[in-house]
Amino acid sequence: MRLATLEKATEEQRKLLLNHPLYKKIKTPQDLQIFMEHHVFAVWDFMSLLKALQITLTNTKLPWYPVGNPEVRYLINEIVLAEETDVNYFGKRQSHFEMYLDAMKKSGAKLNQIEDFIQQIEHGTDIYLVIASSDFPISVKKFLSFTFDIVYSNKPHQVAAAFTYGRENLIPKMFSSIIENVQQNFPEEDLSLFKYYFDRHIELDEDEHGPMALKMVEELCGNDEDKWQEAEEISSQALNERIMLWNGIEEAINKKQNIA
């Protein structure tokens, strides 16, 4: 019952996202490239939300001993399995982030920002310092900063809320048709990897990850009204950050189209 209340509280924001004007602006391969160059950071930091949940809700230390609710352990480990080691377009094991990078390369999108970003992270530079010193669009910076504020909150129910309502079930089916339309109008462009990524993401979210994520929020909040209230607030904030990210991408595409 409380889950239904949370769903109702975020309904309008989810509608805004699913009907965002950005989708109608994506008409050319160049528009898709701009989208990917922004969106890739959301694909990447999604894994940090996911791993934060796995670290908190399961035991990733040695020596091992059982931690937490077995049902929640199962839910998070199942999602990690698919997101980190799914089957790619060529039938090989790969994370969804790596699939996305390959799709970017294939489409001609620029990878210099995300590759430099990952390199700095691998070297152990503080994430907030990397974000602050970058030349990313402000919408991307705010999106990433919000994610890591949640990741480091040490409140699993809040992380689960941001993960579930800010990420899962937010890629509309219409995006696959947009990719197909661009491909038809520009047949020389091979967007097969990009289309596969979105088709696979949608399939998993609808059939498996979406319901699992909702169940996880329910299990973590339980009968604690304070946790449900916090989950609702974080869900709303996460959706607002996604809307702002979409606004930023739309603005970048508009600038390109005006220049052209």
Side-chain angles (χ1 to χ4, degrees), residues 56-72:
T56 306
L57 302 175
T58 74
N59 193 344
T60 58
K61 300 176 182 178
L62 293 174
W64 180 88
Y65 53 88
V67 168
N69 184 327
E71 181 68 18
V72 174

Side-chain angles (χ1 to χ4, degrees), residues 22-57:
L22 167 65
Y23 304 118
K24 293 181 180 179
K25 298 291 178 69
I26 301 173
K27 301 174 181 178
T28 69
Q30 291 71 36
D31 298 335
L32 273 177
Q33 289 167 6
I34 291 171
F35 175 86
M36 297 173 90
E37 289 161 11
H38 286 69
H39 182 241
V40 66
F41 291 96
V43 176
W44 172 78
D45 78 348
F46 170 87
M47 287 302 300
S48 290
L49 283 170
L50 182 57
K51 284 296 183 176
L53 287 167
Q54 189 180 39
I55 290 168
T56 306
L57 302 175

Side-chain angles (χ1 to χ4, degrees), residues 3 6 72 75 156-157 159-165 211-222 227-228 231 235:
L3 195 60
L6 201 163
V72 174
L75 293 172
H157 63 287
V159 180
F163 175 86
T164 302
Y165 289 93
M212 284 182 175
L214 290 170
K215 179 67 174 176
M216 182 167 54
V217 171
E218 193 170 37
E219 291 282 345
L220 290 173
C221 290
K227 287 184 177 180
W228 278 111
S235 298

